[in-house]
Amino acid sequence: MSLSIDLFFIGASILAGTYIFFYKETPFYLKAFLFFLIYTLISELVATWLVTHGKHNTNLYNIYGVVQLIFYVYLLSNFIQNKRLIKICRIVQFSYLFLALMNVLLFQKFSKYNTITYAFGCLIIVALSIFYFFELFKQKKILNLSRESPFWISTALLFYFSCSFPIIATVNIIQNVPELIINSIQTLLLLMNILLYSLFTIAFLCRIKIRKYILSLL
């Protein structure tokens, strides 16, 4: 079973998350994020195993896509200060779950990759990420963004989902996509995954306090 290179970047994120897991100052959402990344890695390994054994992994990715969206909305709701929007995020999570269920039962079914559900999820994540940056720019106090986990996570999500949305939307519209285009899309998604999990790794590691010692020579 050949493993995709982006799986190693997921593993690096998990190692970074494990390193800071027992820090007292590590917020709960980062600890929950670690378990989500473990779930992501397991899902990818199972999906790879299914493909190498000639089986379809569409159902697995349909389930993962819904779990992914619901968790990322939870994650972003921890970064946002607007209490009204935080409450709306809870409603969005349940609404999205209902939308995904309706899409499976009435439209794209379970055996086909649910691009409609994923496209709506992309729009939700992009909107929440943009709102986080909007609040960030309105803050009067100066923040060291290189030390802010929410900044790195929101940057990663904004980049990944704003780029993947047009790709998925195009694939959904075009019938009988040529193999050359499929290969190009897979390469592009691979690079996007590498950047996504690299930024997630930074989000964990940026919380590590590095103490500088000054050595004086006598």
Side-chain angles (χ1 to χ4, degrees), residues 23-36:
Y23 280 28
K24 291 183 179 180
E25 62 271 21
T26 301
F28 178 78
Y29 67 80
L30 276 183
K31 294 181 178 181
F33 193 22
L34 171 62
F35 288 104
F36 172 76

Side-chain angles (χ1 to χ4, degrees):
M1 181 174 67
S2 59
L3 300 179
S4 177
I5 189 173
D6 56 337
L7 297 182
F8 295 98
F9 285 86
I10 301 176
S13 297
I14 292 173
L15 289 176
T18 303
Y19 186 80
I20 69 164
F21 185 83
F22 297 102
Y23 280 28
K24 291 183 179 180
E25 62 271 21
T26 301
F28 178 78
Y29 67 80
L30 276 183
K31 294 181 178 181
F33 193 22
L34 171 62
F35 288 104
F36 172 76
L37 289 175
I38 294 174
Y39 165 69
T40 298
L41 180 60
I42 293 173
S43 298
E44 291 291 347
L45 289 174
V46 172
T48 302
W49 183 88
L50 290 173
V51 170
T52 55
H53 288 76
K55 300 180 181 179
H56 295 287
N57 57 15
T58 306
N59 296 343
L60 178 66
Y61 278 120
N62 282 333
I63 295 173
Y64 174 78
V66 176
V67 175
Q68 179 189 52
L69 183 281
I70 292 175
F71 180 80
Y72 283 150
V73 171
Y74 157 77
L75 202 60
L76 289 168
S77 68
N78 283 274
F79 308 158
I80 295 170
Q81 299 178 1
N82 189 302
K83 294 182 179 180
R84 184 178 180 182
L85 184 57
I86 293 174
K87 293 180 180 179
I88 293 175
C89 286
R90 305 292 177 259
I91 299 174
V92 167
Q93 288 175 307
F94 288 104
S95 300
Y96 186 80
L97 183 60
F98 177 76
L99 171 66
L101 183 60
M102 290 298 100
N103 191 27
V104 166
L105 295 177
L106 302 177
F107 299 103
Q108 293 187 305
K109 307 299 179 180
F110 204 61
S111 58
K112 183 179 179 181
Y113 184 64
N114 298 163
T115 53
I116 296 176
T117 304
Y118 183 80
F120 274 106
C122 289
L123 294 177
I124 294 170
I125 297 300
V126 169
L128 291 176
S129 300
I130 291 175
F131 190 85
Y132 162 76
F133 285 108
F134 175 74
E135 285 190 333
L136 186 65
F137 294 143
K138 286 180 61 179
Q139 288 190 23
K140 295 183 179 179
K141 66 176 182 179
I142 299 176
L143 297 175
N144 183 4
L145 295 180
S146 63
R147 305 283 297 176
E148 293 289 323
S149 297
F151 169 76
W152 293 108
I153 295 174
S154 299
T155 300
L157 294 179
L158 179 60
F159 169 79
Y160 182 85
F161 285 98
S162 60
C163 291
S164 62
F165 172 75
I167 295 175
I168 298 299
T170 302
V171 172
N172 190 38
I173 295 174
I174 301 177
Q175 301 292 332
N176 299 322
V177 182
E179 185 177 354
L180 178 62
I181 296 179
I182 292 178
N183 293 334
S184 299
I185 290 175
Q186 289 178 339
T187 302
L188 182 59
L189 290 175
L190 175 64
L191 295 175
M192 289 166 54
N193 275 329
I194 290 174
L195 180 58
L196 176 72
Y197 294 109
S198 296
L199 293 177
F200 285 166
T201 303
I202 295 174
F204 286 119
L205 296 180
C206 74
R207 301 191 64 85
I208 299 176
K209 295 181 179 179
I210 302 175
R211 297 178 180 178
K212 296 180 179 180
Y213 295 91
I214 300 177
L215 301 178
S216 57
L217 299 177
L218 298 178

